Amino acid sequence: METHPSATAATPVIPGFHPDPSVCRVGEDYYLVCSSFEYFPGIPVFHSRDLVNWTQIGNALDRPGQLDLPVDTPSSGGIYAPTLRHHDGRFWLAVFNVAPGGGTLLFTTTDPAGPWSDPVRVPGVTGIDPDLVWDEDGTCWCTTAGIAQVRIDPRTGETLGTPHPVWSGTPGTAAPEGPHLYRIGDYWYLMISEGGTERGHGVSIARGPSPAGPFEPCPANPILTHRSTDRPVQNTGHADLVQAADGSWWMVLLGVRPQGGTPGWHILGRETFLAPVTWEDGWPVVGEVGGELPRSPGLEVPAPAAGGRDDFEPGGLAPYWISLRDRPAECVTTKERDSWLTLRARGGSLDEPDVIFVGRRQQHLAFQARSLVDPSEGRGGLAVRLDERHHYSVEAGPDGRITVIARIGSLRSVAAELTLPTQLLVLTVRTGPAPEPHDSRTGPDSLVFGIETADGTVNELASLDGRYLSTEVAGGFTGRVVGLYAAAGTVHADWFEYLPISG
Ligand code: 6LW
């Protein structure tokens, strides 16, 4: 594969909340999956021919029975870091569901676009971040955060023995997790993340003669970290390795792009980046994150993620639309009104865990979104959501009252209010510059909510400080999601448009 120096070293290959990437190659095709937490469907699946341009081809967990996220599954609980592997003609996916009744789950398919199998439960594996690898004898090894390891039968979920500790990274370093085990050349390599998924994050590796070790750490550990640097991409870690069809090696990893002053706020969640890997003395050496990127003949790189307009055709929502915990057909449908999305309220406002909300990830540092809604049968609107306790929205209802609502922690406030005769309305949100102060405390951005009148004039109602919809404020593992919700009655949307402004 050709490589070319990129001027956009801070550009993720899959922007927006797409953390914990796991990748595998079959011939010329690459497949990649990410964590999905409290959202349904779960585990977005991407395809690429060059490791740079990725297309979402589905979601592995797209039906009830595969993905059970009870209403008491907390935000940033649910589906944690998956591992995707291809073995013996099948794709395998291992995940841990951090939810009541959850645990380790395995799925398999011959087509990563789906459908994927029902889950096989592995009750004997209780750690997060399960990795799967098969040795020369066909034995399957499952390695989890901690780091612990046990042999399993992936078809039945039976554990063959009890999990036992293996190499757990650099002594004194927090949170050994995200293990992946590989047979490369004469060695078995155990690559893990350590330091926690925040600014101290890093990747370390060890090697040994068997999948169970004993493991000798790489003298150059951590092989990747951006801790204590001023690089634009921070929190780099939770990585997976893949060998390209031409023999070159690559790492996919998560990173964040903090904005504003100190301590820096990341608003898009943890994103997927790519870095080149070379080998020296039998150890991997990681190049610049986002630096030298591969290029397949005929493909321009790196292509920024597209925005676009959804017209809600009756076939259903595109795979990038995500809901909270489930998506009951009686509450979310494109079949009730021709080419409209209908949302029927169930749980009240965005403060409630069972609110009916569907959205797509904010994938650009600056964006705008618009939607034409009919609020004549219920109250609802356009929201930017981090979690139940951190969201902003513009909402309309049959009484003609339009409100901009800000929820920050335990505070809920109506930031702006306006009454208009009930009518079809275009609700709008866009990012803008951070509000004052413009000093070391400058936030990442602002979120400006408004309505558009029939002649296309935008009436901006409120501009809200974006820092409160960042992971540094809200906590957790996700990022901003922008979308539509119903708080009472039934709300219809004719179309929804998401457009990048920059980055
Ligand atoms: C994941 C862990 C991590 O399970 O964050 O960054 C956790 N790494 O490995 C949630 O994504």
Side-chain angles (χ1 to χ4, degrees):
M1 207 177 288
E2 267 183 84
T3 59
H4 77 122
S6 168
T8 52
T11 307
V13 290
I14 308 180
F17 139 52
H18 290 108
D20 307 321
S22 179
V23 66
C24 72
R25 176 178 66 84
V26 182
E28 302 274 325
D29 296 295
Y30 302 88
Y31 298 95
L32 185 149
V33 291
C34 298
S35 306
S36 50
F37 301 99
E38 74 268 31
Y39 289 96
F40 180 98
I43 306 285
V45 182
F46 296 87
H47 170 256
S48 175
R49 298 300 295 267
D50 64 0
L51 288 166
V52 174
N53 295 278
W54 292 93
T55 306
Q56 190 175 352
I57 55 172
N59 293 279
L61 316 187
D62 63 358
R63 57 180 193 268
Q66 285 181 311
L67 179 55
D68 290 318
L69 298 171
V71 70
D72 50 348
T73 307
S75 288
S76 285
I79 299 296
Y80 276 36
T83 293
L84 178 67
R85 294 292 179 255
H86 187 257
H87 171 73
D88 214 9
R90 300 191 72 80
F91 292 87
W92 291 86
L93 186 60
V95 303
F96 194 90
N97 185 6
V98 185
T104 302
L105 306 171
L106 305 181
F107 302 85
T108 182
T109 188
T110 51
D111 181 356
W116 286 76
S117 69
D118 285 334
V120 170
R121 293 182 173 275
V122 193
V125 172
T126 53
I128 60 167
D129 303 350
D131 174 71
L132 295 181
V133 73
W134 285 260
D135 67 18
E136 291 86 348
D137 302 332
T139 302
C140 181
W141 297 76
C142 184
T143 311
T144 58
I147 302 290
Q149 190 184 66
V150 66
R151 287 172 300 134
I152 64 167
D153 179 341
R155 292 182 185 270
T156 62
E158 191 190 347
T159 30
L160 312 171
T162 44
H164 58 274
V166 282
W167 179 70
S168 290
T170 312
T173 306
E177 60 191 12
H180 290 304
L181 195 52
Y182 315 89
R183 173 75 209 240
I184 301 170
D186 294 335
Y187 292 105
W188 285 86
Y189 288 84
L190 174 57
M191 189 171 78
I192 68 165
S193 289
E194 50 182 2
T197 195
E198 301 82 21
R199 296 292 190 272
H201 215 193
V203 179
S204 289
I205 197 162
R207 68 186 184 192
S210 84
F215 289 105
E216 159 209 1
C218 174
N221 279 337
I223 57 169
L224 170 68
T225 186
H226 285 185
R227 65 178 72 125
S228 303
T229 67
D230 57 6
R231 288 165 182 256
V233 182
Q234 291 287 316
N235 303 25
T236 49
H238 201 108
D240 199 3
L241 292 174
V242 65
Q243 187 174 26
D246 68 356
S248 59
W249 284 86
W250 301 89
M251 175 183 274
V252 292
L253 63 136
L254 72 76
V256 305
R257 293 182 282 170
Q259 304 294 308
T262 181
W265 291 269
H266 72 278
I267 53 180
L268 302 183
R270 300 169 302 162
E271 310 177 272
T272 287
F273 290 83
L274 183 69
V277 173
T278 52
W279 292 82
E280 281 175 26
D281 301 327
W283 293 109
V285 177
V286 186
E288 189 185 355
V289 171
E292 294 274 324
L293 296 176
R295 176 168 50 186
S296 297
L299 283 176
E300 289 306 314
V301 287
R309 175 169 154 135
D310 286 89
D311 280 307
F312 302 128
E313 305 298 340
L317 294 173
Y320 49 80
W321 283 94
I322 48 177
S323 322
L324 283 169
R325 300 180 180 83
D326 64 357
R327 187 181 292 172
E330 66 275 17
C331 298
V332 180
T333 178
T334 52
K335 297 195 168 71
E336 194 160 310
R337 256 193 210 181
D338 193 25
S339 297
W340 286 66
L341 173 68
T342 296
L343 301 179
R344 189 158 289 115
R346 171 178 65 177
S349 77
L350 285 165
D351 302 336
E352 308 300 328
D354 57 348
V355 63
I356 293 297
F357 168 84
V358 291
R360 53 176 293 169
R361 293 157 174 89
Q362 181 183 332
Q363 293 192 276
H364 305 83
L365 292 169
F367 80 101
Q368 64 172 16
R370 300 159 68 235
S371 182
L372 176 64
V373 301
D374 172 3
S376 61
E377 297 169 23
R379 268 203 94 65
L382 175 65
V384 180
R385 176 188 193 269
L386 219 298
D387 63 18
E388 289 86 2
R389 291 163 54 83
H390 302 86
H391 52 81
Y392 297 153
S393 61
V394 55
E395 184 175 295
D399 57 0
R401 194 166 153 255
I402 297 160
T403 49
V404 176
I405 299 164
R407 168 78 195 254
I408 302 168
S410 54
L411 303 176
R412 184 178 218 274
S413 171
V414 173
E417 189 166 352
L418 175 78
T419 301
L420 280 181
T422 303
Q423 53 177 280
L424 294 182
L425 271 177
V426 175
L427 303 178
T428 66
V429 60
R430 67 168 176 89
T431 49
E436 290 185 17
H438 291 294
D439 55 27
S440 57
R441 299 161 295 164
T442 305
D445 63 353
S446 58
L447 286 158
V448 184
F449 287 84
I451 57 167
E452 203 174 288
T453 49
D455 64 0
T457 313
V458 176
N459 182 356
E460 294 192 330
L461 301 174
S463 176
L464 303 168
D465 190 331
R467 80 183 68 206
Y468 301 112
L469 303 193
S470 71
T471 303
E472 281 76 5
V473 169
F477 296 126
T478 62
R480 289 184 188 166
V481 178
V482 50
L484 298 162
Y485 68 100
T490 302
V491 177
H492 307 274
D494 187 12
W495 49 261
F496 178 94
E497 185 182 77
Y498 170 94
L499 294 178
I501 300 175
S502 73

